[in-house]
Amino acid sequence: DALQQQLDDLQDFQIIAHRGASGHAPEHTWPAYQQARRMGADYLELDLHMSADGELMVIHDDTLDRTTDGSGPVKDHTLAKLKALDAGSWFNESHTDRAEEAYAGAELLTLDEVIDRYGSDVRYYIETKSPERYPELQRALVETLEAEGLVASGSVVIQSFSQDSLEQVHALNADIPLVQLVWYSPAEDGSGLTEWTGVTPDPAEITDADFQAIADYAVGIGPNVVYDGEDVIDAGFVEQAHDNGLLVHPYTINDVDQMQRLLDWGVDGMFTNFPDRLSGLVE
Ligand code: G3P
Ligand code: CA
């Protein structure tokens, strides 16, 4: 069936358009998603927050300040207020070489709007952001996906740094493929690498049991690759994840040499702001 087809397809290399083709157009707007589709992305990556009136909003940051002409927390604004914001002009101002008139005034989007437009024509790689801030987000998300038939059509992966959020999703619908995100950065006491989520220890010390604990609920792991110019994972990490039945989808890879290096390590997909660069390599 379609869900099994999705799992089979995940065994092949996946181009995950990070916030859409967000290197070319303002992240999480129609131009970014349209360009990602044209560039051959397998998945559109969406980050979710909620409006004050409970709408699922596609935006990365907790706050509006960086990517819109509004300010303050997303969750303090109603849908109507959020839809009135300009989520495109900031891009033209900060990337003058890639600016396009059409980007000015681009709207923030709801998950419903994105699904209404693309349905099961695309696949969605949806991140639950700040689940502690939005305790009702998981249920609202799963209900939406089920109502639209997008789980059965094999159209969705759900990712989070929060193991708790992923487990909530699975309690609601155990068919949705999950990916555990991890972030490796140096420990403050200088003892090595650490991470935000409490899911895995230092990759140099990670054991099969650690990977298995993730494989109990997830199909894959999504790590960062570099911190402050230094690699935090290596080919051995990818191999050990594979040996434990986990896919590896590193984020966020925009440099072509870096993409090639990770392809050589055998990763199963990458998050990138430049899907065109990655599709040029994997064709
Ligand atoms: O979801 C993968 C990657 O996007 C995680 O980091 O902060 O860009 O959402 P962030
Ligand atoms: Ca993300």
Side-chain angles (χ1 to χ4, degrees):
D1 61 357
L3 190 55
Q4 186 57 49
Q5 183 64 49
Q6 180 192 19
L7 296 174
D8 292 346
D9 290 346
L10 281 166
Q11 299 302 316
D12 297 330
F13 188 85
Q14 303 295 307
I15 298 174
I16 307 159
H18 185 244
R19 314 180 194 176
S22 60
H24 295 282
E27 64 189 59
H28 292 318
T29 64
W30 289 131
Y33 297 155
Q34 291 291 90
Q35 290 188 46
R37 298 194 63 194
R38 283 203 294 277
M39 291 171 180
D42 297 296
Y43 281 85
L44 291 181
E45 197 247 354
L46 310 181
D47 301 293
L48 288 188
H49 290 269
M50 289 182 100
S51 70
D53 40 356
E55 191 77 23
L56 293 168
M57 302 300 305
V58 192
I59 181 169
H60 176 270
D61 297 5
D62 293 342
T63 56
L64 298 166
D65 302 65
R66 182 178 60 87
T67 61
T68 78
D69 58 348
S71 66
V74 176
K75 70 174 178 52
D76 290 352
H77 295 71
T78 61
L79 173 62
K81 286 271 191 285
L82 293 170
K83 286 301 292 181
L85 297 174
D86 174 352
S89 291
W90 72 275
F91 182 91
N92 288 347
E93 287 155 20
S94 38
H95 304 286
T96 48
D97 54 325
R98 284 165 268 166
E100 297 283 346
E101 257 176 56
Y103 298 164
E107 292 180 14
L108 288 179
L109 301 172
T110 68
L111 179 64
D112 282 349
E113 286 176 298
V114 179
I115 289 173
D116 281 351
R117 180 158 184 175
Y118 297 131
S120 55
D121 293 347
V122 292
R123 284 178 168 147
Y124 310 92
Y125 206 120
I126 302 176
E127 181 175 356
T128 55
K129 280 284 181 201
S130 309
E132 62 292 339
R133 188 185 293 235
Y134 311 107
E136 64 283 39
L137 186 147
Q138 285 71 213
R139 180 172 296 279
L141 171 59
V142 172
E143 282 177 359
T144 297
L145 297 175
E146 287 176 344
E148 299 295 332
L150 293 176
V151 181
S153 64
S155 305
V156 182
V157 168
I158 294 183
Q159 49 161 340
S160 190
F161 287 103
S162 165
Q163 179 178 356
D164 178 58
S165 174
L166 294 177
E167 287 179 337
Q168 285 185 51
V169 167
H170 246 196
L172 294 162
N173 188 322
D175 288 338
I176 302 175
L178 305 177
V179 168
Q180 177 68 58
L181 300 175
V182 292
W183 165 257
Y184 294 117
S185 59
E188 282 179 11
D189 64 4
S191 62
L193 294 167
T194 182
E195 38 68 52
W196 275 346
T197 64
V199 174
T200 68
D202 190 318
E205 292 165 12
I206 196 163
T207 65
D208 287 341
D210 296 319
F211 280 119
Q212 279 301 319
I214 296 174
D216 279 350
Y217 58 90
V219 299
I221 184 167
N224 61 319
V225 176
V226 175
Y227 184 90
D228 205 15
E230 303 280 338
D231 280 354
V232 294
I233 62 166
D234 58 14
F237 179 96
V238 176
E239 188 181 352
Q240 194 177 0
H242 285 168
D243 287 347
N244 285 286
L246 285 168
L247 302 169
V248 182
H249 290 166
Y251 64 87
T252 300
I253 317 301
N254 296 322
D255 174 80
V256 171
D257 292 339
Q258 180 82 304
M259 288 172 178
Q260 186 57 57
R261 209 162 61 98
L262 289 172
L263 286 169
D264 294 343
W265 290 1
V267 302
D268 306 284
M270 288 175 221
F271 295 85
T272 180
N273 300 344
F274 295 92
D276 49 337
R277 294 179 188 169
L278 190 50
S279 61
L281 284 184
V282 298
E283 258 161 17

